[in-house]
Amino acid sequence: MGGSGGRWERWRHAWPLSQPRAEGAAVLLAIPILLSIAIWNRFPLIFYDTGAYILQGLGGAFVEERSPVYSLFLPATGGFLSLWLVAIAQAAMTAFVMVETARALAPRATLPVFLLIAAVLCVITGMPWYAGQIEPDSFTAVVVLAFYLLLFHGSALSRGRRIALFLIAAVAIACHPSHLVLAVGLIACALLYWIAARRGIDWPPAHVALPALSLALAVVLIVTANFAFTGQIFISRAGPSFVFARLVQDGIVMRTLEDTCPQSGYRLCAYVNEMPRTADQWMWDKDTPFKKLKGIEGTNAESERIILDSLRRYPLMHVRTAASDTARQFSQFKTGDQLEPQEWVLYPIFKRLVPRQLDAYMHARQQKGEFDFRRWNAIHVTVGWISIIVLAAMLFFFLGARRHRQAVFLGFIFLGLWGNAAVCGALSNPHDRYQSRIVWIASFALALSASRGWRRGLRGDGESGTPSAS
């Protein structure tokens, strides 16, 4: 036992991530770990929206409610040849950000320890279900971690790493509207923190310029992609429709119509008795007023009018329902939301645009209905709640102990979790997949905090423990 224990200790302390070779090996070896579920599935995981991204990115059709940047990400990473190349690119970006976070927070952590953390997270969290999924949800956690690194460790990183994180953050933000809003919120909070720190508060300095420029580049990417498809300059046409759908679900739209029709002259006054009860029914059912009035293009102007009218009439109702939906979203993170056989919707798109991938798609475990998320969620939901509770407890402990560097990291992770819940819950409507795509970063933060490198790397003064390894 002593010999095996000694070998384990030597192995565990070998290849510190501060060494570039170990850093590169960690990224490369983490990719198959992150893709473990997709590999087991025998094909990248597919969501219903994946078809729209394929139709837009590989078929050239503009789909108003889907991100043009992520759609173009598919051909840019080889989606025409194989969606595996897209999944590998996503996993590589995620792995790089995870490794850089580990180097910044626990610079004495080693390659074996990091790979062990990644492997454990693939079992106890939903992380691999998103890294290997052809959806922009794979980048939500990347936005938070990359922003943290640029804000609080940017000056200690080498130029190459800063550029890589800058570009990854910009692409991740641009790939989904919720990421854009989340990034704006994180920048706003960072500016408040920066102002407070400049007034002499003894906290780690924040460098807002680089993440702000990354956000600006993301906006440029979004506008450019929209222009490439439509010849028009705009950020999003679908935003009002998704907010309106949430107000339908919360009863605000119905109350507005009941209190103002027919005097208001809204076209929806004619459909008061046909209004659906949920946001998903409003957006996606075939015979809703939304469809009868020609969808996003036909309803956007009136949706904006009703939203503004309801804000004036029922401000407290808006605050109450937004807070309720945020709390619901924060607490909903079951893995596997709508990851089910979907060939009845997507088969024609695969057959027309990626026919050589159709056979592998149809023979994947997902299309055979072999996913059973009850056992997975017995682990994932339990671990998620434990991680959130312990994260909050540690945050309060570090604040009380005036260990500001640890508190800033955990606080930023918590801010990312709440921000994502607010964006998705209040501006869209709560779904498990929205929060399950990001809740794993709480477990990742706790895993880093449990390592010896955390205690050594973040103690004392100085910019950070991040090695500026060349």
Side-chain angles (χ1 to χ4, degrees), residues 143-156:
V143 172
V144 177
L145 294 177
F147 257 36
Y148 167 78
L149 292 171
L150 292 174
L151 279 166
F152 295 102
H153 297 271
S155 63

Side-chain angles (χ1 to χ4, degrees), residues 22-331:
E23 176 190 14
V27 174
L28 290 176
L29 293 174
I31 292 173
I33 295 175
L34 290 168
L35 295 179
S36 56
I37 293 295
I39 294 170
W40 171 75
N41 182 52
R42 300 192 290 265
F43 197 76
L45 300 169
I46 303 298
F47 191 70
Y48 287 102
D49 298 349
T50 305
Y53 291 116
I54 293 175
L55 183 64
Q56 186 166 233
L58 305 183
F62 180 64
V63 183
E64 290 177 309
E65 67 271 19
R66 299 294 163 230
S67 164
V69 175
Y70 186 75
S71 298
L72 294 174
F73 181 79
L74 302 187
T77 53
F80 275 116
L81 296 175
S82 174
L83 292 178
W84 275 112
L85 297 175
V86 180
I88 290 170
Q90 293 176 172
M93 294 164 71
T94 303
F96 176 77
V97 173
M98 290 177 67
V99 169
E100 294 309 311
T101 304
R103 293 179 79 247
L105 274 298
R108 298 193 182 187
T110 60
L111 173 62
V113 170
F114 174 81
L115 294 178
L116 179 62
I117 290 173
V120 171
L121 288 178
C122 282
V123 175
I124 67 174
T125 76
M127 179 179 69
W129 293 90
Y130 291 96
Q133 186 178 151
I134 308 303
E135 277 286 303
D137 290 342
S138 60
F139 291 132
T140 312
V142 170
V143 172
V144 177
L145 294 177
F147 257 36
Y148 167 78
L149 292 171
L150 292 174
L151 279 166
F152 295 102
H153 297 271
S155 63
L157 292 166
S158 67
R159 178 180 297 178
R161 292 180 181 87
R162 283 199 303 272
I163 293 174
L165 286 168
F166 172 82
L167 295 175
I168 287 173
V171 171
I173 293 166
C175 277
H176 200 273
S178 67
H179 299 173
L180 179 63
V181 181
L182 174 61
V184 170
L186 292 175
I187 286 292
C189 293
L191 283 171
L192 293 176
Y193 176 95
W194 179 77
I195 292 171
R198 282 180 62 86
R199 293 184 176 181
I201 297 176
D202 183 24
W203 285 77
H207 305 280
V208 183
L210 201 55
L213 288 173
S214 184
L215 173 60
L217 177 58
V219 173
V220 171
L221 291 174
I222 293 169
V223 172
T224 302
N226 281 323
F227 185 82
F229 279 106
T230 67
Q232 299 176 2
I233 296 176
F234 60 95
I235 292 178
S236 174
R237 289 176 176 170
S241 293
F242 282 97
V243 174
F244 190 87
R246 198 270 293 177
L247 300 184
V248 168
Q249 181 167 291
D250 286 338
I252 294 177
V253 169
M254 192 65 184
R255 181 171 176 181
T256 304
L257 296 178
E258 289 175 343
D259 289 350
T260 65
C261 290
Q263 292 83 1
S264 60
Y266 294 133
R267 290 183 297 161
L268 279 181
C269 290
Y271 298 95
V272 169
N273 296 326
E274 300 179 35
M275 294 295 292
R277 294 185 178 182
T278 70
D280 287 341
Q281 288 173 342
W282 168 261
M283 290 289 293
W284 312 120
D285 281 6
K286 293 181 179 180
D287 297 323
T288 64
F290 179 70
K291 299 296 185 182
K292 293 177 181 178
L293 294 174
K294 299 183 179 181
I296 292 173
E297 182 178 358
T299 62
N300 253 4
E302 183 162 297
S303 294
E304 292 178 359
R305 286 178 56 207
I306 293 176
I307 291 170
L308 293 174
D309 191 8
S310 65
L311 279 168
R312 288 191 295 268
R313 291 173 177 273
Y314 325 113
L316 293 181
M317 189 176 182
H318 272 276
V319 172
R320 177 176 55 81
T321 56
S324 175
D325 288 330
T326 297
R328 282 178 55 210
Q329 183 62 81
F330 187 81
S331 63

